[in-house]
Amino acid sequence: NCESQSETEKGKPMDEITRARIARVGVDLAKRVIQVHAVDASGRRVVARAFKRDQFFAWCTQLPAGCVVAMEACSSAHHWARKLRAHGLEPRLIAAHFVTPYRMEGKGGKNDATDAAAICEAASRPSMRFVPVKTCEQQGVMSLHRVREGLKEERTACINQIRGVLTEFGLVFGKSPKVLRAVLADIIEDASNELSTTARLVVQRAFEHWRELDEHLRWCDRQVGQHVRASPAAKRAAKVIGIGELGASALTAGVGDFTQFKSGHQFGAWLGVVPRQASSGGTIRLGRITKRGDDYLRTLLIQGAKAAVMSADKRDDPISRWLVQLTARVGWQKACVAMANKSARILWAVMTREDGFDSKHVSVKPQAKQPDRQPVVDPASIAAACVA
């Protein structure tokens, strides 16, 4: 149990060993039990034990200031990271797929202890990429977007349920929700169709639920608009072609500090809108996009890019002209993905430079630096000078 594990092989109390030897801690988070794996400066294990949730932070307060505490970027990770940072520790969040290769037991040896050890080992790598800790405000905005997505899925399920009930009585309508909504009230009141009394009550209750979900979605959209109007960064992002208010709100809250990326290409790779590579021997082979990163942010970029592609012929800026030519050459689907990548790069430039988006801007590729050339000296002139 936890009490019996509070002593090490040498019999010293946990707090003395913690203050003297622990240099890095790997933490496997869970709802009730939190596994800890601590090592010293040489990477040798010092502590490997499990804590209850209310005991974990009390143990962390004994760690030396500046100690690295690594965790997977999962539920409650940002909460613990903010709490540990306020206490003077250095929290580091690692994406789960970066931790898996460091589990010594492989896929067949997954448990809390091996996960904590893998997290601790992954945090020691100098090339490891860490997830920035989100603020409470950022997580609040992202929770709004998550609830909105849940409401959308619930509304789609409600519409499909209504269609299923009506189809059982021979009533079939167009795929558009607008078509169904326009005739649904008349169907409920029409006594000439085959709907039974119970079926009419079911459809009526489902229709009321549909309208209630629409009202909830309108409330979410109003909250998103308020966030964009209150945030200067979101205002700049919303002006980029293919972003819009919804994308600007989610991207600014989900990314936070855009300067964490060295370039627009790196930001696009983080979102998963760059081609997957299978290159070898100097031969470059590009495939489909990697689809890494946040699915929701990438989906918003793709949906915004679709709107930009479909309306490109109505605008006369350089990006729209490029989109028209690209669509004619590779098709609208590939053009949408290419536009999503371009939107991500433009967004990175706008946010890092803190400058407004200019649709007429034409980027100029910087010229390569020419090597300094030494003046060519004629040997005959040198000989003549020596004779003189």
Side-chain angles (χ1 to χ4, degrees):
N1 54 32
C2 294
E3 294 298 327
S4 62
Q5 293 177 354
S6 63
E7 302 287 325
T8 63
E9 301 80 9
K10 296 182 180 180
K12 293 183 180 180
M14 179 63 68
D15 56 346
E16 294 181 7
I17 297 176
T18 300
R19 295 171 183 173
R21 297 176 57 189
I22 291 180
R24 187 175 64 256
V25 181
V27 181
D28 184 60
L29 297 173
K31 293 181 180 179
R32 294 178 179 85
V33 179
I34 298 177
Q35 182 74 32
V36 168
H37 184 94
V39 298
D40 57 15
S42 63
R44 186 176 180 180
R45 187 181 70 181
V46 178
V47 178
R49 57 169 295 190
F51 290 96
K52 293 182 179 179
R53 186 179 181 88
D54 54 353
Q55 297 173 339
F56 171 65
F57 184 71
W59 182 83
C60 289
T61 57
Q62 304 175 28
L63 296 174
C67 180
V68 174
V69 181
M71 300 167 282
E72 281 188 353
C74 59
S75 178
S76 76
H78 292 278
H79 160 73
W80 286 115
R82 290 192 297 265
K83 202 169 182 179
L84 295 174
R85 178 174 289 175
H87 192 67
L89 302 176
E90 185 180 350
R92 293 183 179 178
L93 305 184
I94 308 174
H97 62 275
F98 288 154
V99 174
T100 303
Y102 295 95
R103 191 188 302 121
M104 298 300 295
E105 290 76 5
K107 294 183 178 179
K110 179 177 173 24
N111 55 52
D112 292 348
T114 56
D115 283 349
I119 293 169
C120 188
E121 180 64 24
S124 67
R125 300 298 90 195
S127 60
M128 180 57 61
R129 296 192 293 270
F130 300 101
V131 178
V133 179
K134 288 183 172 61
T135 63
C136 294
E137 290 75 15
Q138 286 179 267
Q139 286 194 290
V141 175
M142 291 309 299
S143 66
L144 172 64
H145 285 268
R146 302 304 182 193
V147 169
R148 184 180 182 277
E149 283 299 295
L151 291 171
K152 280 176 56 181
E153 294 176 2
E154 188 177 356
R155 182 179 63 176
T156 302
C158 180
I159 294 173
N160 290 337
Q161 287 175 343
I162 294 174
R163 289 184 182 277
V165 172
L166 295 179
T167 303
E168 293 294 332
F169 294 93
L171 301 171
V172 180
F173 302 94
K175 293 182 179 181
S176 173
K178 293 181 180 179
V179 174
L180 179 62
R181 185 162 189 163
V183 299
L184 195 54
D186 295 335
I187 293 172
I188 296 172
E189 298 296 333
D190 187 7
S192 62
N193 55 42
E194 293 185 357
L195 282 176
S196 64
T197 303
T198 303
R200 291 181 194 277
L201 293 175
V202 169
V203 173
Q204 184 175 4
R205 181 56 62 92
F207 190 25
E208 292 174 359
H209 184 48
W210 181 3
R211 287 182 289 196
E212 183 181 356
L213 291 172
D214 281 340
E215 181 58 34
H216 290 326
L217 282 168
R218 283 191 289 269
W219 178 87
C220 290
D221 291 337
R222 289 194 295 268
Q223 295 298 315
V224 169
Q226 290 179 11
H227 170 240
V228 172
R229 289 189 292 272
S231 171
K235 276 184 180 180
R236 293 196 304 271
K239 295 180 181 179
V240 178
I241 295 177
I243 299 296
E245 281 194 352
L246 191 63
S249 175
L251 285 164
T252 52
V255 179
D257 184 14
F258 283 80
T259 59
Q260 63 182 294
F261 304 102
K262 296 180 180 180
S263 63
H265 173 75
Q266 190 181 78
F267 178 52
W270 180 77
L271 289 171
V273 291
V274 297
R276 188 186 303 273
Q277 289 201 41
S279 304
S280 178
T283 303
I284 299 176
R285 299 183 182 91
L286 301 180
R288 299 180 178 181
I289 59 175
T290 62
K291 294 186 179 180
R292 291 186 176 180
D294 194 315
D295 292 342
Y296 178 64
L297 298 181
R298 184 174 58 256
T299 299
L300 290 179
L301 273 179
I302 297 294
Q303 295 296 334
K306 285 183 180 179
V309 169
M310 296 305 177
S311 59
D313 56 347
K314 301 177 182 179
R315 298 187 300 272
D316 191 28
D317 54 271
I319 296 177
S320 298
R321 292 195 296 268
W322 168 77
L323 271 180
V324 171
Q325 297 173 2
L326 184 65
T327 304
R329 188 170 71 252
V330 301
W332 71 272
Q333 291 179 321
K334 291 183 179 180
C336 289
V337 177
M339 181 60 198
N341 191 2
K342 181 179 283 290
S343 297
R345 296 187 182 213
I346 294 173
L347 180 64
W348 176 86
V350 168
M351 302 306 291
T352 53
R353 299 172 186 175
E354 297 185 355
D355 196 6
F357 170 69
D358 181 14
S359 61
K360 302 292 184 180
H361 175 76
V362 178
S363 60
V364 179
K365 187 176 182 180
Q367 297 292 331
K369 185 178 180 181
Q370 299 293 334
D372 296 334
R373 294 183 177 180
Q374 298 294 333
V376 179
V377 181
D378 185 11
S381 61
I382 296 178
C386 292
V387 171

